Amino acid sequence: MRGCFRNQYGRCSFRQFVNVILSDGTAFRRRFYTPAIVPPDEVKVNIKVGSSGLIPLRIRSSPKPSPNAPIIIYLRHGCPPKGYYQRTYNPLNTLSLSAQATVVEIGYRLSGNEPYPKPIHDVIAGYDWIRKHLSSSPVIVNHNGLPNSKYIYSPPQTFAGLGVCGELAGGSLAAMLALTECKTNGITAAALGDPIVDWSSPLRLPTSSSSDVDSPNRSLKNLHTTCFAKSEHRYDPFASPLLFFRTPAYELPTPSLYGSSFSPGPKEESSDSDGASMLVPRRRSHRKHPPLGSGLRLPMTRIDVRTDFALKDQVLEFAELLQRGVNLYEDKSAIPRERVEVVEREGEGLWSEKDFMQIGSWMGEMLRRD
């Protein structure tokens, strides 16, 4: 069955609503692609990111669309395996059905040729677009692009609940977005899977790490050695969200530590694969987050971490410091106080369809809380 839009004025296929007049009066044309490229229940929109080009947004509507249906932002894990959308399940579909929410995947760019901070800029641009165009209902016009008063209605005054989820590099970017955009009508829930929350610390992979394409440790090695053009970019809290809560554990290394300009790893493989022996430890100290008077309220957060994940220790430290930020720096009357849930899982695999269903159910519940 084709994806449909249902509102108080009737029911129509997504493909009939190719023109939308937004709440600020501007208009844009949604670009559609063949079902062989994009599943028929999804819409693809390309948005501009400054002068650096376009990124795609994949939008999966809620099974029961309503003006205040929650919106979940999904960020892939950074190294999508071949045939990502040819799997037996679609993560966007699973999240949408289990959460009864609209799901938007931001197609951020991350590779050796498109290193940090480009994915940060992409995710922020995608979030701004979602806030502007999806978190309040648009004014619908007919399929010819001409306004039709029969279908026009005023957008609601309230915003839909916004959540974000992601794994590995996507988990890092999801944490960044959750910690910086948790204002009123902003992010209120976040689900993170094996997030990389501190790129500045050394990477030590277990010798028994799986070689499977879906292994987080395998993807982690690829990400850690290719995705930073400059070492100082690793020390940016927007890239390493753990550094919102504490100072780095190591001094900024000298350029001689790194190999090529787009490959921070050494030129030769060794047991100390990221040059950890050349890093100089430093004393760590706490940082205050959220800052006083910022208006930020840390979101409800679920963190899934595999027992064999190479960066498990930093993930658990992040969870502890996140809850510390709630306890120390937020309004004492704010409820609920316990906002961080850590779920430890066996094995190394990325989120399965069952995991996505559980996360979707959790997100749906959190985003509908008063």
Side-chain angles (χ1 to χ4, degrees), residues 97-216:
L97 290 174
S98 56
Q100 294 292 296
T102 297
V103 181
V104 184
E105 179 183 359
I106 300 177
Y108 67 89
R109 297 163 290 183
L110 179 59
S111 67
N113 294 322
E114 296 175 312
Y116 277 85
K118 183 168 286 188
I120 298 173
H121 301 159
D122 290 349
V123 169
I124 292 175
Y127 173 76
D128 289 342
W129 190 95
I130 293 167
R131 278 292 309 273
K132 182 177 181 181
H133 300 320
L134 296 183
S135 62
S136 61
S137 296
V139 178
I140 305 301
V141 299
N142 65 20
H143 66 280
N144 293 320
L146 301 175
N148 186 330
S149 60
K150 178 179 179 180
Y151 294 116
I152 294 178
Y153 64 98
S154 299
Q157 298 300 314
T158 58
F159 285 83
L162 279 169
V164 62
C165 65
E167 304 172 85
L168 292 178
S172 172
L173 293 165
M176 174 276 295
L177 199 63
L179 294 178
T180 59
E181 297 293 342
C182 50
K183 300 179 181 179
T184 303
N185 297 327
I187 301 293
T188 58
L192 315 176
D194 292 330
I196 307 168
V197 291
D198 185 9
W199 294 94
S200 68
S201 293
L203 173 63
R204 297 184 177 91
L205 293 177
T207 56
S208 60
S209 181
S210 170
S211 61
D212 184 75
V213 71
D214 264 2
S215 165

